[in-house]
């Protein structure tokens, strides 16, 4: 998968919102759009070198209006913006150049992989040309292309990164056995997620609400409610959480008891020394009335048999 943000153009469009170690975005105008599946191992690069590899945990799908650009002379979509030269565009099929492209709006199906839980930073250990030659079709120019995994694993071994490939291969086998096949999670695409996180960082500082201060790079903007159901970013409904804690919070394995406003762990999670000390601790972030309301709903959803959830439901 080619991840270069807005510079990743396909068919004369504005590119894609990529955050390589968290998610990868594409739509149904991209070749191989529907061949990518939950449980697949993926490798991301930026044309110059490999960035990292991971395992797809889920694929969010939705719909959006997309502006497509065309050559005004031949009508083809294979045009590129030129960074320095003028006119601004060049059409590869007919070789014409122009400043203003023809446009049309098309409704597309959007896809976004979530893959941060198993992300392995490969430290640019393989150059782009090496990675191209490890593809099933080395001369392909597609943004998403099939990789010869065995050959890739051998290249990582030579580069001293072989353990990463072994881990992802084992994780993929485990995921397939647990899922019984591939599936897509159909939820709302989280438009504005980056801005939501930036606002939380500005307001709360680089602090995981459950574990305390930490590097901003490992903190995510966590919704205290189901974004898929609400479809909006409420600043009083979000907290910064460390990536692993965020995932456990979404699953209800970590929650906040609204009676005491302290952290509550499920019994199976309390067995792990990295999480056990959190049990019964107050949050590291000061909550306002809005946060508390969402936390009560989260508790009721994930701990419906608890006394406080029963009281909230009755009230």
């Amino acid at each position: 998968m080619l991840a270069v943000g807005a510079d990743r153009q396909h068919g004369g469009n504005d590119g894609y919102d990529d955050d390589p170690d968290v998610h990868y975005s594409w739509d149904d105008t991209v070749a191989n759009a529907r061949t990518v599946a939950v449980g697949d191992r993926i490798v991301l690069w930026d044309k110059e070198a490999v960035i990292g590899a991971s395992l797809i945990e889920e694929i969010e799908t939705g719909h959006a209006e997309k502006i497509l650009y065309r050559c005004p002379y031949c009508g083809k979509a294979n045009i590129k913006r030129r960074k320095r030269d003028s006119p601004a565009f060049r059409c590869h099929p007919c070789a014409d150049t122009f400043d203003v492209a023809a446009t049309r709006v098309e409704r597309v199906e959007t896809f976004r992989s979530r893959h941060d839980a198993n992300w392995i930073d490969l430290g640019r250990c393989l150059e782009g040309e090496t990675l191209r030659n490890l593809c099933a079709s080395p001369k392909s120019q597609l943004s998403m292309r099939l990789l010869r995994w065995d050959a890739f694993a051998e290249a990582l071994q030579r580069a001293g990164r072989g353990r990463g490939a072994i881990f992802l291969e084992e994780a993929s086998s485990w995921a397939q056995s647990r899922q019984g096949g591939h599936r897509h999670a159909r939820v709302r695409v989280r438009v504005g997620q980056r801005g939501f996180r930036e606002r939380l960082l500005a307001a709360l500082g680089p602090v995981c609400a459950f574990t305390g201060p930490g590097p901003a790079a490992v903190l995510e903007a966590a919704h205290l409610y189901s974004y898929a159901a609400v479809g909006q970013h409420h600043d009083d409904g979000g907290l910064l959480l460390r990536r692993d804690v965020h995932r456990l919070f979404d699953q209800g394995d970590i929650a906040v008891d609204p009676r005491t406003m302290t952290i509550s762990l499920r019994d199976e999670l309390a067995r792990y020394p990295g999480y056990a000390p959190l049990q019964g601790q107050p949050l590291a972030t000061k909550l306002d009335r809005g946060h508390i309301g969402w936390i009560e709903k989260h508790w009721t959803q994930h701990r419906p048999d608890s006394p406080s959830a029963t009281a909230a439901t009755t009230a």
Side-chain angles (χ1 to χ4, degrees):
M1 290 179 160
L2 179 63
V4 287
D7 287 336
R8 178 164 63 93
Q9 299 182 35
H10 172 82
N13 64 70
D14 287 321
Y16 300 86
D17 172 27
D18 294 332
D19 192 356
D21 59 345
V22 179
H23 61 75
Y24 184 84
S25 302
W26 70 99
D27 58 54
D28 60 0
T29 66
V30 176
N32 295 323
R34 301 183 189 281
T35 63
V36 182
V38 171
D40 281 353
R41 292 163 293 184
I42 57 172
V43 176
L44 278 74
W45 67 307
D46 63 2
K47 294 184 180 180
E48 301 299 327
V50 66
I51 302 172
S54 192
L55 182 76
I56 294 182
E57 304 153 48
E58 65 180 24
I59 298 176
E60 302 174 351
T61 67
H63 291 85
E65 303 293 326
K66 179 177 182 177
I67 299 177
L68 298 178
Y69 300 91
R70 297 287 187 270
C71 173
Y73 301 107
C74 71
K76 301 293 185 181
N78 191 12
I79 64 176
K80 296 283 282 187
R81 282 191 178 88
R82 305 200 291 179
K83 295 182 178 180
R84 299 183 183 85
D85 296 337
S86 183
F89 290 93
R90 177 180 178 84
C91 175
H92 289 279
C94 71
D96 272 314
T97 58
F98 44 92
D99 280 314
V100 179
T103 62
R104 65 184 178 90
V105 177
E106 183 174 307
R107 186 168 176 79
V108 297
E109 185 172 10
T110 58
F111 305 88
R112 173 175 287 183
S113 70
R114 181 68 184 255
H115 55 254
D116 53 306
N118 294 290
W119 175 257
I120 297 173
D121 188 330
L122 293 175
R124 308 183 72 80
C125 67
L126 299 177
E127 295 183 352
E129 187 61 32
T130 300
L131 198 59
R132 288 188 187 93
N133 290 329
L134 298 175
C135 292
S137 300
K139 294 183 179 180
S140 170
Q141 297 298 311
L142 300 180
S143 296
M144 300 192 298
R145 62 192 78 170
L146 187 65
L147 184 68
R148 294 184 292 119
W149 183 262
D150 290 345
F152 174 72
E154 290 177 4
L156 287 187
Q157 188 71 37
R158 291 192 295 271
R161 301 282 184 137
R163 293 182 63 183
I166 294 172
F167 166 74
L168 289 177
E169 187 165 358
E170 292 175 347
S172 180
S173 298
W174 178 85
Q176 293 295 335
S177 66
R178 285 292 298 270
Q179 293 168 0
H182 294 154
R183 63 178 176 81
H184 280 182
R186 185 170 294 277
V187 299
R188 293 178 187 264
V189 175
R190 297 178 181 176
V191 177
Q193 179 75 6
R194 186 182 296 272
F196 180 52
R197 178 177 179 274
E198 290 174 353
R199 293 195 302 274
L200 290 179
L201 277 169
L204 304 175
V207 178
C208 170
F210 288 4
T211 63
V218 303
L219 298 177
E220 296 183 340
H223 292 91
L224 303 179
Y225 53 88
S226 170
Y227 180 84
V230 176
Q232 296 182 20
H233 298 290
H234 296 289
D235 288 359
D236 65 354
L239 290 173
L240 292 167
L241 297 180
R242 209 172 63 192
R243 287 179 179 174
D244 58 327
V245 174
H246 185 183
R247 185 57 48 85
L248 294 168
F249 180 80
D250 284 349
Q251 297 173 175
D253 293 329
I254 294 180
V256 179
D257 188 331
R259 296 171 301 174
T260 60
M261 297 308 298
T262 57
I263 299 169
S264 174
L265 307 181
R266 291 198 194 277
D267 291 342
E268 55 268 30
L269 189 61
R271 297 198 304 265
Y272 294 91
Y275 300 107
L278 298 176
Q279 177 68 31
Q281 294 297 311
L283 271 67
T285 299
K286 184 178 179 180
L287 305 182
D288 59 27
R289 187 184 300 273
H291 288 123
I292 294 172
W294 291 115
I295 279 174
E296 289 175 346
K297 293 180 179 179
H298 178 270
W299 181 266
T300 301
Q301 176 187 357
H302 292 284
R303 310 291 172 88
D305 298 327
S306 67
S308 54
T310 302
T313 303
T314 303

